[in-house]
Amino acid sequence: MATPLSHPQRRPPLLRQAIKIRRRRVRDLQDPLAQTAQELEPPSHHLSPEERALLYEEALYSVLHRLGQPEPGHVRDASELLRYLQEAFHMEPEEHQQMLQQVQKLEKPIFCLKATVKQAKGILGKDVSALSFPSSPGFSDPYCLLGIEQGVGVQGGSPGSRHRQKAVVRYTIPEEQTHRTQVITQTLNPVWEETFILEFEDISNSSFHLDMWDMDTVESVRQKLGELTDLHGLRRIFKEARKDKGQDDFLGNVVVRLQDLRCREDQWYPLEPCTETYPDRGQCHLQFQLIHKRRAPAASRSQPSYTVHLHLLQQLVSHEVTRHQAGSTSWDGSLSPQAATILFLHATQKDLSDFHQSLAQWLAYSRLYQSLEFPSSCLLHPITSIEYQWIQGRLKGEQLDELTASFGKLLAYGLSLLRQFRSVFPLSVPDSPARLQSLLRVLVQMCKMKAFGELCPDSPPLPRLVTETLRTGTVQWFHLKQQHHQPMVQGMLEAGRALLSLVQDIIGDLHQCQHTWNKIFQNTLKIDLFSMAFLELQWLVAKRVQDHTAAVAGSPVSPEMGESLFQLYVSLKQLCQLDPGPAERDGVLALDGFHRWFQPAVPSWLQKTYSVALARVQRAVQMDELVPLNELTKHSTSAVDLSTCFAQISHTARQLDWPDPEEAFMITVKFVEDTCRLALVYCSLIKARARELSAGQKDQGQAANMLCVVVNDMEQLRLVIGKLPTQLAWEALEQRVGAVLEQGQLQHTLHAQLQGTLAGLGHEIRTGVRTLAKQLEVGIAKHIQKLVGLKESVLPEDPPDPALDLHAHRADGGGCLPAELPPGLQQAEDCTAESGDLLLRRGLRPATRSPAHRHLPAVPRSQALQRDLELQAASSRELIQKYFCNRIQQQVETASEELGAITVKASYRTSEQKLRVELLSASSLLPLDSNGSSDPFVQLTLEPRHEFPELAPRETQKHKKDLHPLFDETFEFLVPAEPCQRDGACLLLTVLDHDTLGADDLEGEAFLPLRSVPGLTGPEEPGEVPQTRLPLTYPALNGDPILQLLESRKGDREAQVFVRLRRQRAKQASQHAPRPGR
């Protein structure tokens, strides 16, 4: 007779009766909450001393009466679990020992095996009929007999190693301890889903047995003969008739030792045969759980199992969190192996369902989350489990109230965190965005639950709750920031600075909302946090700024107050630039037209800008020693400071960017006036500084150098002034004021003022150049006379007097004057011409770059002098270009092939902008290796390098021991046609001998002018490309004047790199110069 599970009765040890539980009734009958309802737990997770003692006793009892093998990852040692419990409950050693002894004296529980016969598959078909075909397997009507055999353990290692015995359950286990499933008719894959609870005493010598049988019913001969169709069916009828009437057929059995089971098992077991006739008899799906009945601890006898497990879970999780915090680490939500083992043992022994375990986990974690710090993602698993298994009828009214309260409390707590998310989730902590997103996910998933919808039907939608919470939190955050910036001393200046700090904090917060927080709220709840925060904060800011500017307007604006107001104005412009747009708001902004509040302070801002710039210019000139900054920059420090002042004025104008067009025009006019005034003041100051430093200066060359620096400073100033239209955005201003001003007013006002200033600067520069020319005239004549007397026509690298090298002043990298004087300084050029007339009277020709002078008849020395001065005046890149022009000319004039020759085909395709080079072969190369041969390869580069900076050198394959290599390789260069048509543009073919250990040796060089390449001269694509044979050449062994001049320019890195490479090639050529008559 089965006993209801909710009212178990004690049975004699050997006559304990298992209880058969239908699967369809198990949820109602095994509910552990069917005991006296308990009151709702308070929000706090702390227990009273009495409750803690009872819970500790319960946990010790679960560990001491453990059943089954441990789960993977669980702790096997009981002493380790006991030590963990002592630590988790903060028990003293004496108290722990006392409690442990008390628990050991308690009565043992009734050990039970909860077995669920779920289904079977592939069993034998025992039933046949006359209609069955010979190949048909037939069906069976299976049922199972099951029970526990005690006192006789299964011998050996495996449950099936015992000798096969038919009908173990039917003939071995007493009938009152044998249980039977339903009969499933006409199937080979039966499904039972029936659960049984089987009691046992000693797990070490107890075995679970299950026999599967085919139910046979008694049929009359008349019925079977009515189904007869052939002789084969008749033979089967006679075979069936020989069996006993009603005798069932054995299908197989399953034997499992209980000590081999874990606390929970769920797997398929093979059905073992009793003979070798049919070894494969199918499989049976079984679930096992080792549970307790009649537990002795007071908590188990007085409280529902679910409540006890909830308290135990809270206690252990609280200990896990505090233990991690003590170690200065945060808990990640993973229980320790000890805690996981204890909770699993308790839930299994108390036969808690997965649903009630998830419910307990939710209640425990949701309470602890409100008082301890741990990741909210721990709440997602119980939410998912409850949602998957939710059936409202599985909970009593008190438990439903408890779950409802947990939903409400967590929602309220989550909203309180969102209200203060700026301080709760600061961006200074790296994982703050992830924590906020996890909290939002928990709230979203909770509000989507069927349980939440049924228990909290009147709750407003979560997005609306969060939006109102964020709006309230934004206002609260603003007031807290305002209190934080409240000045200690009450005054208008202090109040302005406090307001400026507040606005800057708001801008920073809005940037965080825009780039970080808004994405999180938008992705989870479709809430535009940034727009909402901007609209709230701009209204609060506008009210306070308007009050402040109104209070300041009644008194004169001091420089400090003007600076504070300007910074506040700039910050408000930055704030307005964050406006999300009209689509995200209704109506106008409170900050619209805020510039009108600052209008009285604009004159003080302009005056202070000019005063600061003027003071800086005066200080810069006073500290200037009128020496060039370096070899490449020929103006002095004051010119740099002046450029910085003008840049700061332009930056202030861009910051101001006054919205009203007419007033913006007047402000720009003021900025231009101040800038031009500063330029003229600087010219006066720098000339006075030059007179001050040159007074009493005996070295006239040093005085001339100072004058050169002054001229260069004024020229640098002229260039800076010329950029004013761009820096002050005159074009954009003209578009803005076009409808306000009269046509041409901008041109007549701003441009006329600028041109007047440029004309004044030009006059100052011309005056300086004239003065310099007069001082240098005599020195130049003496210097040129000395140059004419030299045997070599190359100018010395270091002239006797640097101030006398006037033309070097106009070369890139040498002298002090600009490389090219402006077109408006024609009078300065006239001064140079006057100096040249003086030289003509002395029988010499001036060194000038004008084309007319190049064709004048002159004596050879004068021509050499003119050529050398032209080289001195050329830039480094012009010299490099001139060098390659000379090498191309040398290539054209070379007919001898004593160094060898190279054959190429080159063409240019204009449609593809590709230069195609076919390197065919080389011949008659010099044997540079000791074995009388060479290992040649060719390096291809487009020169000069500054014309083709993006094209890397190419190389052919290396040919071993070959003086007549056949390369037959093609190279393509993606290059526009324009640089290929310039003077000096060429393809440099460098033939090298590869050396494994040392540097490669030079066989020779060939220069192919790109102008001559087919396809570059005309619009038509080249047809058949002819071969070009180029004799190899060596660089000049005695030095090149251009290389000597480039080498003297120490500060020009590009020149030094070029000279180093060409010197290296010349050195290689000198080592392998061919013998005469080769």
Side-chain angles (χ1 to χ4, degrees), residues 820-845:
E820 293 184 6
L821 292 178
L825 303 184
Q826 186 60 38
Q827 189 173 355
E829 294 284 350
D830 296 340
C831 294
T832 308
E834 293 174 2
S835 176
D837 293 339
L838 177 63
L839 300 181
L840 287 173
R841 289 194 296 270
R842 300 186 180 184
L844 297 176
R845 186 163 303 280

PDB file of all heavy atoms in Angstrom, residues 820-845:
ATOM      1  N   GLU A 820      63.301  84.123 -51.826  1.00  0.00           N
ATOM      2  CA  GLU A 820      62.737  84.910 -52.907  1.00  0.00           C
ATOM      3  C   GLU A 820      62.095  86.148 -52.309  1.00  0.00           C
ATOM      4  O   GLU A 820      61.141  86.028 -51.532  1.00  0.00           O
ATOM      5  CB  GLU A 820      61.696  84.111 -53.689  1.00  0.00           C
ATOM      6  CG  GLU A 820      62.299  82.947 -54.451  1.00  0.00           C
ATOM      7  CD  GLU A 820      61.240  82.251 -55.297  1.00  0.00           C
ATOM      8  OE1 GLU A 820      60.112  82.755 -55.344  1.00  0.00           O
ATOM      9  OE2 GLU A 820      61.568  81.224 -55.903  1.00  0.00           O
ATOM     10  N   LEU A 821      62.587  87.339 -52.647  1.00  0.00           N
ATOM     11  CA  LEU A 821      61.992  88.559 -52.140  1.00  0.00           C
ATOM     12  C   LEU A 821      60.638  88.777 -52.798  1.00  0.00           C
ATOM     13  O   LEU A 821      60.413  88.369 -53.942  1.00  0.00           O
ATOM     14  CB  LEU A 821      62.919  89.740 -52.419  1.00  0.00           C
ATOM     15  CG  LEU A 821      64.244  89.735 -51.629  1.00  0.00           C
ATOM     16  CD1 LEU A 821      65.078  90.935 -52.043  1.00  0.00           C
ATOM     17  CD2 LEU A 821      64.000  89.727 -50.143  1.00  0.00           C
ATOM     18  N   PRO A 822      59.702  89.422 -52.125  1.00  0.00           N
ATOM     19  CA  PRO A 822      58.351  89.586 -52.672  1.00  0.00           C
ATOM     20  C   PRO A 822      58.365  90.480 -53.902  1.00  0.00           C
ATOM     21  O   PRO A 822      59.255  91.308 -54.093  1.00  0.00           O
ATOM     22  CB  PRO A 822      57.575  90.220 -51.518  1.00  0.00           C
ATOM     23  CG  PRO A 822      58.602  90.831 -50.653  1.00  0.00           C
ATOM     24  CD  PRO A 822      59.819  89.981 -50.768  1.00  0.00           C
ATOM     25  N   PRO A 823      57.328  90.306 -54.758  1.00  0.00           N
ATOM     26  CA  PRO A 823      57.303  91.093 -56.008  1.00  0.00           C
ATOM     27  C   PRO A 823      57.286  92.584 -55.756  1.00  0.00           C
ATOM     28  O   PRO A 823      57.741  93.368 -56.592  1.00  0.00           O
ATOM     29  CB  PRO A 823      56.011  90.619 -56.675  1.00  0.00           C
ATOM     30  CG  PRO A 823      55.724  89.295 -56.062  1.00  0.00           C
ATOM     31  CD  PRO A 823      56.243  89.364 -54.668  1.00  0.00           C
ATOM     32  N   GLY A 824      56.723  93.049 -54.672  1.00  0.00           N
ATOM     33  CA  GLY A 824      56.619  94.487 -54.410  1.00  0.00           C
ATOM     34  C   GLY A 824      57.920  95.133 -54.046  1.00  0.00           C
ATOM     35  O   GLY A 824      57.973  96.352 -53.805  1.00  0.00           O
ATOM     36  N   LEU A 825      59.022  94.356 -53.940  1.00  0.00           N
ATOM     37  CA  LEU A 825      60.295  94.918 -53.510  1.00  0.00           C
ATOM     38  C   LEU A 825      61.248  95.076 -54.696  1.00  0.00           C
ATOM     39  O   LEU A 825      62.411  94.675 -54.649  1.00  0.00           O
ATOM     40  CB  LEU A 825      60.919  94.012 -52.442  1.00  0.00           C
ATOM     41  CG  LEU A 825      60.029  93.769 -51.216  1.00  0.00           C
ATOM     42  CD1 LEU A 825      60.782  92.947 -50.196  1.00  0.00           C
ATOM     43  CD2 LEU A 825      59.555  95.080 -50.635  1.00  0.00           C
ATOM     44  N   GLN A 826      60.756  95.584 -55.792  1.00  0.00           N
ATOM     45  CA  GLN A 826      61.591  95.764 -56.970  1.00  0.00           C
ATOM     46  C   GLN A 826      62.705  96.764 -56.696  1.00  0.00           C
ATOM     47  O   GLN A 826      63.795  96.670 -57.252  1.00  0.00           O
ATOM     48  CB  GLN A 826      60.740  96.251 -58.154  1.00  0.00           C
ATOM     49  CG  GLN A 826      61.506  96.332 -59.467  1.00  0.00           C
ATOM     50  CD  GLN A 826      62.060  94.983 -59.889  1.00  0.00           C
ATOM     51  OE1 GLN A 826      61.409  93.961 -59.699  1.00  0.00           O
ATOM     52  NE2 GLN A 826      63.281  94.966 -60.418  1.00  0.00           N
ATOM     53  N   GLN A 827      62.434  97.719 -55.807  1.00  0.00           N
ATOM     54  CA  GLN A 827      63.452  98.722 -55.508  1.00  0.00           C
ATOM     55  C   GLN A 827      64.653  98.079 -54.842  1.00  0.00           C
ATOM     56  O   GLN A 827      65.788  98.507 -55.033  1.00  0.00           O
ATOM     57  CB  GLN A 827      62.850  99.816 -54.626  1.00  0.00           C
ATOM     58  CG  GLN A 827      63.778 101.013 -54.438  1.00  0.00           C
ATOM     59  CD  GLN A 827      63.097 102.145 -53.712  1.00  0.00           C
ATOM     60  OE1 GLN A 827      61.921 102.055 -53.432  1.00  0.00           O
ATOM     61  NE2 GLN A 827      63.827 103.199 -53.436  1.00  0.00           N
ATOM     62  N   ALA A 828      64.417  97.035 -54.019  1.00  0.00           N
ATOM     63  CA  ALA A 828      65.546  96.318 -53.410  1.00  0.00           C
ATOM     64  C   ALA A 828      66.387  95.655 -54.474  1.00  0.00           C
ATOM     65  O   ALA A 828      67.618  95.611 -54.389  1.00  0.00           O
ATOM     66  CB  ALA A 828      65.030  95.291 -52.411  1.00  0.00           C
ATOM     67  N   GLU A 829      65.746  95.115 -55.528  1.00  0.00           N
ATOM     68  CA  GLU A 829      66.499  94.535 -56.629  1.00  0.00           C
ATOM     69  C   GLU A 829      67.330  95.612 -57.348  1.00  0.00           C
ATOM     70  O   GLU A 829      68.428  95.362 -57.834  1.00  0.00           O
ATOM     71  CB  GLU A 829      65.540  93.855 -57.624  1.00  0.00           C
ATOM     72  CG  GLU A 829      64.825  92.634 -57.060  1.00  0.00           C
ATOM     73  CD  GLU A 829      65.764  91.445 -56.992  1.00  0.00           C
ATOM     74  OE1 GLU A 829      66.875  91.539 -57.553  1.00  0.00           O
ATOM     75  OE2 GLU A 829      65.406  90.451 -56.356  1.00  0.00           O
ATOM     76  N   ASP A 830      66.764  96.804 -57.419  1.00  0.00           N
ATOM     77  CA  ASP A 830      67.505  97.900 -58.055  1.00  0.00           C
ATOM     78  C   ASP A 830      68.779  98.208 -57.284  1.00  0.00           C
ATOM     79  O   ASP A 830      69.807  98.571 -57.865  1.00  0.00           O
ATOM     80  CB  ASP A 830      66.632  99.145 -58.152  1.00  0.00           C
ATOM     81  CG  ASP A 830      65.430  98.913 -59.061  1.00  0.00           C
ATOM     82  OD1 ASP A 830      65.502  97.973 -59.880  1.00  0.00           O
ATOM     83  OD2 ASP A 830      64.431  99.664 -58.928  1.00  0.00           O
ATOM     84  N   CYS A 831      68.706  98.051 -55.954  1.00  0.00           N
ATOM     85  CA  CYS A 831      69.911  98.279 -55.163  1.00  0.00           C
ATOM     86  C   CYS A 831      70.996  97.294 -55.568  1.00  0.00           C
ATOM     87  O   CYS A 831      72.181  97.631 -55.686  1.00  0.00           O
ATOM     88  CB  CYS A 831      69.595  98.142 -53.680  1.00  0.00           C
ATOM     89  SG  CYS A 831      68.478  99.421 -53.075  1.00  0.00           S
ATOM     90  N   THR A 832      70.593  96.036 -55.791  1.00  0.00           N
ATOM     91  CA  THR A 832      71.568  95.020 -56.211  1.00  0.00           C
ATOM     92  C   THR A 832      72.136  95.353 -57.581  1.00  0.00           C
ATOM     93  O   THR A 832      73.320  95.173 -57.860  1.00  0.00           O
ATOM     94  CB  THR A 832      70.897  93.651 -56.231  1.00  0.00           C
ATOM     95  OG1 THR A 832      70.261  93.432 -54.984  1.00  0.00           O
ATOM     96  CG2 THR A 832      71.901  92.547 -56.480  1.00  0.00           C
ATOM     97  N   ALA A 833      71.251  95.868 -58.466  1.00  0.00           N
ATOM     98  CA  ALA A 833      71.724  96.249 -59.805  1.00  0.00           C
ATOM     99  C   ALA A 833      72.731  97.384 -59.721  1.00  0.00           C
ATOM    100  O   ALA A 833      73.734  97.420 -60.443  1.00  0.00           O
ATOM    101  CB  ALA A 833      70.533  96.643 -60.679  1.00  0.00           C
ATOM    102  N   GLU A 834      72.443  98.332 -58.803  1.00  0.00           N
ATOM    103  CA  GLU A 834      73.390  99.435 -58.637  1.00  0.00           C
ATOM    104  C   GLU A 834      74.741  98.912 -58.187  1.00  0.00           C
ATOM    105  O   GLU A 834      75.796  99.359 -58.630  1.00  0.00           O
ATOM    106  CB  GLU A 834      72.836 100.429 -57.632  1.00  0.00           C
ATOM    107  CG  GLU A 834      71.584 101.162 -58.115  1.00  0.00           C
ATOM    108  CD  GLU A 834      70.988 102.023 -57.023  1.00  0.00           C
ATOM    109  OE1 GLU A 834      71.592 102.050 -55.941  1.00  0.00           O
ATOM    110  OE2 GLU A 834      69.940 102.640 -57.251  1.00  0.00           O
ATOM    111  N   SER A 835      74.698  97.900 -57.284  1.00  0.00           N
ATOM    112  CA  SER A 835      75.949  97.300 -56.843  1.00  0.00           C
ATOM    113  C   SER A 835      76.668  96.646 -58.010  1.00  0.00           C
ATOM    114  O   SER A 835      77.879  96.703 -58.138  1.00  0.00           O
ATOM    115  CB  SER A 835      75.679  96.295 -55.728  1.00  0.00           C
ATOM    116  OG  SER A 835      76.866  95.662 -55.360  1.00  0.00           O
ATOM    117  N   GLY A 836      75.910  96.025 -58.922  1.00  0.00           N
ATOM    118  CA  GLY A 836      76.525  95.398 -60.093  1.00  0.00           C
ATOM    119  C   GLY A 836      77.165  96.416 -61.012  1.00  0.00           C
ATOM    120  O   GLY A 836      78.218  96.172 -61.614  1.00  0.00           O
ATOM    121  N   ASP A 837      76.552  97.608 -61.186  1.00  0.00           N
ATOM    122  CA  ASP A 837      77.160  98.646 -62.025  1.00  0.00           C
ATOM    123  C   ASP A 837      78.513  99.061 -61.486  1.00  0.00           C
ATOM    124  O   ASP A 837      79.460  99.334 -62.232  1.00  0.00           O
ATOM    125  CB  ASP A 837      76.229  99.858 -62.092  1.00  0.00           C
ATOM    126  CG  ASP A 837      74.938  99.512 -62.839  1.00  0.00           C
ATOM    127  OD1 ASP A 837      74.974  98.532 -63.608  1.00  0.00           O
ATOM    128  OD2 ASP A 837      73.930 100.210 -62.619  1.00  0.00           O
ATOM    129  N   LEU A 838      78.589  99.102 -60.163  1.00  0.00           N
ATOM    130  CA  LEU A 838      79.872  99.437 -59.565  1.00  0.00           C
ATOM    131  C   LEU A 838      80.926  98.404 -59.930  1.00  0.00           C
ATOM    132  O   LEU A 838      82.069  98.733 -60.240  1.00  0.00           O
ATOM    133  CB  LEU A 838      79.722  99.549 -58.050  1.00  0.00           C
ATOM    134  CG  LEU A 838      81.003  99.822 -57.267  1.00  0.00           C
ATOM    135  CD1 LEU A 838      81.582 101.183 -57.674  1.00  0.00           C
ATOM    136  CD2 LEU A 838      80.724  99.796 -55.764  1.00  0.00           C
ATOM    137  N   LEU A 839      80.518  97.130 -59.928  1.00  0.00           N
ATOM    138  CA  LEU A 839      81.477  96.074 -60.269  1.00  0.00           C
ATOM    139  C   LEU A 839      81.896  96.161 -61.732  1.00  0.00           C
ATOM    140  O   LEU A 839      83.028  95.852 -62.095  1.00  0.00           O
ATOM    141  CB  LEU A 839      80.863  94.707 -59.973  1.00  0.00           C
ATOM    142  CG  LEU A 839      80.463  94.473 -58.503  1.00  0.00           C
ATOM    143  CD1 LEU A 839      79.906  93.075 -58.349  1.00  0.00           C
ATOM    144  CD2 LEU A 839      81.664  94.678 -57.592  1.00  0.00           C
ATOM    145  N   LEU A 840      80.963  96.578 -62.607  1.00  0.00           N
ATOM    146  CA  LEU A 840      81.312  96.705 -64.018  1.00  0.00           C
ATOM    147  C   LEU A 840      82.390  97.769 -64.217  1.00  0.00           C
ATOM    148  O   LEU A 840      83.268  97.634 -65.063  1.00  0.00           O
ATOM    149  CB  LEU A 840      80.071  97.043 -64.845  1.00  0.00           C
ATOM    150  CG  LEU A 840      79.078  95.874 -65.043  1.00  0.00           C
ATOM    151  CD1 LEU A 840      77.832  96.389 -65.730  1.00  0.00           C
ATOM    152  CD2 LEU A 840      79.743  94.790 -65.881  1.00  0.00           C
ATOM    153  N   ARG A 841      82.265  98.842 -63.467  1.00  0.00           N
ATOM    154  CA  ARG A 841      83.266  99.893 -63.607  1.00  0.00           C
ATOM    155  C   ARG A 841      84.640  99.402 -63.189  1.00  0.00           C
ATOM    156  O   ARG A 841      85.650  99.978 -63.542  1.00  0.00           O
ATOM    157  CB  ARG A 841      82.853 101.107 -62.771  1.00  0.00           C
ATOM    158  CG  ARG A 841      81.647 101.844 -63.358  1.00  0.00           C
ATOM    159  CD  ARG A 841      81.490 103.216 -62.719  1.00  0.00           C
ATOM    160  NE  ARG A 841      81.208 103.127 -61.311  1.00  0.00           N
ATOM    161  CZ  ARG A 841      79.971 103.062 -60.802  1.00  0.00           C
ATOM    162  NH1 ARG A 841      78.930 103.052 -61.616  1.00  0.00           N
ATOM    163  NH2 ARG A 841      79.779 103.007 -59.500  1.00  0.00           N
ATOM    164  N   ARG A 842      84.653  98.320 -62.334  1.00  0.00           N
ATOM    165  CA  ARG A 842      85.938  97.765 -61.898  1.00  0.00           C
ATOM    166  C   ARG A 842      86.387  96.600 -62.780  1.00  0.00           C
ATOM    167  O   ARG A 842      87.303  95.887 -62.443  1.00  0.00           O
ATOM    168  CB  ARG A 842      85.841  97.298 -60.447  1.00  0.00           C
ATOM    169  CG  ARG A 842      85.490  98.449 -59.501  1.00  0.00           C
ATOM    170  CD  ARG A 842      85.550  98.008 -58.072  1.00  0.00           C
ATOM    171  NE  ARG A 842      85.221  99.105 -57.159  1.00  0.00           N
ATOM    172  CZ  ARG A 842      85.267  99.000 -55.834  1.00  0.00           C
ATOM    173  NH1 ARG A 842      85.609  97.861 -55.293  1.00  0.00           N
ATOM    174  NH2 ARG A 842      84.985 100.041 -55.071  1.00  0.00           N
ATOM    175  N   GLY A 843      85.691  96.365 -63.900  1.00  0.00           N
ATOM    176  CA  GLY A 843      86.107  95.335 -64.844  1.00  0.00           C
ATOM    177  C   GLY A 843      85.561  93.979 -64.545  1.00  0.00           C
ATOM    178  O   GLY A 843      86.035  92.996 -65.098  1.00  0.00           O
ATOM    179  N   LEU A 844      84.541  93.874 -63.655  1.00  0.00           N
ATOM    180  CA  LEU A 844      83.963  92.577 -63.281  1.00  0.00           C
ATOM    181  C   LEU A 844      82.494  92.584 -63.622  1.00  0.00           C
ATOM    182  O   LEU A 844      81.881  93.631 -63.802  1.00  0.00           O
ATOM    183  CB  LEU A 844      84.184  92.322 -61.785  1.00  0.00           C
ATOM    184  CG  LEU A 844      85.637  92.203 -61.339  1.00  0.00           C
ATOM    185  CD1 LEU A 844      85.695  92.048 -59.828  1.00  0.00           C
ATOM    186  CD2 LEU A 844      86.350  91.057 -62.024  1.00  0.00           C
ATOM    187  N   ARG A 845      81.908  91.392 -63.685  1.00  0.00           N
ATOM    188  CA  ARG A 845      80.488  91.269 -63.997  1.00  0.00           C
ATOM    189  C   ARG A 845      79.754  90.805 -62.745  1.00  0.00           C
ATOM    190  O   ARG A 845      80.230  89.923 -62.036  1.00  0.00           O
ATOM    191  CB  ARG A 845      80.283  90.251 -65.117  1.00  0.00           C
ATOM    192  CG  ARG A 845      78.837  90.177 -65.599  1.00  0.00           C
ATOM    193  CD  ARG A 845      78.757  89.501 -66.935  1.00  0.00           C
ATOM    194  NE  ARG A 845      79.580  90.186 -67.920  1.00  0.00           N
ATOM    195  CZ  ARG A 845      79.187  91.288 -68.549  1.00  0.00           C
ATOM    196  NH1 ARG A 845      78.025  91.829 -68.289  1.00  0.00           N
ATOM    197  NH2 ARG A 845      79.985  91.869 -69.433  1.00  0.00           N
TER     198      ARG A 845
END
